Amino acid sequence: MRTLAAALASLLVTSAAFGEDAPAPPPPAKATLKVEITNLRSEAGVVRAAVYRTEADYKNKNPSASGEAAIQGAKATVVLEGLEPGAVVVRVFHDEDKDGKIKTNWIGMPKEGVGMSRDAKGFMGPPKFDDAKLDLPAGPSSTSIKLHYL
């Protein structure tokens, strides 16, 4: 009987040591980013926003999150939830014809309004990742992006 009691006590101590009864750690905190877009030339279409976490994803147009919003007045607000905190770049455009693509002219310049986080601008192409990079904290935050029509 003592052997059985000792074995049972050992099992209970071992289970407690490995945390089988301990609560699971909370999940890592996520971020919510409210993107306020201004300077829209019309209420036609929608505004689309994309978030990029790495320079490679930015160059390959492979966003980690995206969203869209209706336009009211000359403004729109896109709210992106469940984001990983850290460095991000936000790219927005005015999708006037709702086709999901930025219309360009024959030399590749955008015909629809475009904008970047930190109002970064490129020379003969999109801005560099580091020029547009934001540090996204856990929890709610916001940024404002002004659209530019070329």
Side-chain angles (χ1 to χ4, degrees):
M1 191 63 136
R2 280 188 186 188
T3 306
L4 181 60
L8 184 57
S10 174
L11 182 62
L12 289 173
V13 169
T14 303
S15 293
F18 286 105
E20 290 178 15
D21 294 331
K30 298 288 184 179
T32 298
L33 181 61
K34 179 177 162 184
V35 184
E36 297 173 352
I37 301 103
T38 61
N39 199 43
L40 288 123
R41 69 177 169 198
S42 74
E43 290 188 7
V46 296
V47 172
R48 299 188 191 275
V51 175
Y52 302 89
R53 297 207 42 81
T54 67
E55 188 169 358
D57 286 341
Y58 173 67
K59 286 181 179 178
N60 295 317
K61 297 179 182 169
N62 183 26
S64 60
S66 62
E68 68 178 55
I71 302 163
Q72 296 179 348
K75 300 178 184 178
T77 302
V78 178
V79 178
L80 302 159
E81 299 178 307
L83 304 173
E84 294 294 325
V88 298
V89 165
V90 182
R91 179 184 292 181
V92 299
F93 79 99
H94 182 184
D95 190 2
E96 293 177 275
D97 58 4
K98 293 185 177 182
D99 70 348
K101 302 174 193 169
I102 299 173
K103 291 282 188 250
T104 58
N105 65 16
W106 64 276
I107 59 171
M109 293 181 67
K111 292 170 77 175
E112 296 175 305
V114 294
M116 298 293 296
S117 46
R118 297 184 55 202
D119 202 26
K121 293 176 182 59
F123 178 74
M124 301 300 283
K128 294 178 182 171
F129 183 84
D130 286 340
D131 292 343
K133 186 169 51 175
L134 298 173
D135 185 28
L136 185 63
S141 62
S142 64
T143 191
S144 181
I145 298 177
K146 181 179 179 180
L147 285 187
H148 300 278
Y149 294 85
L150 307 175

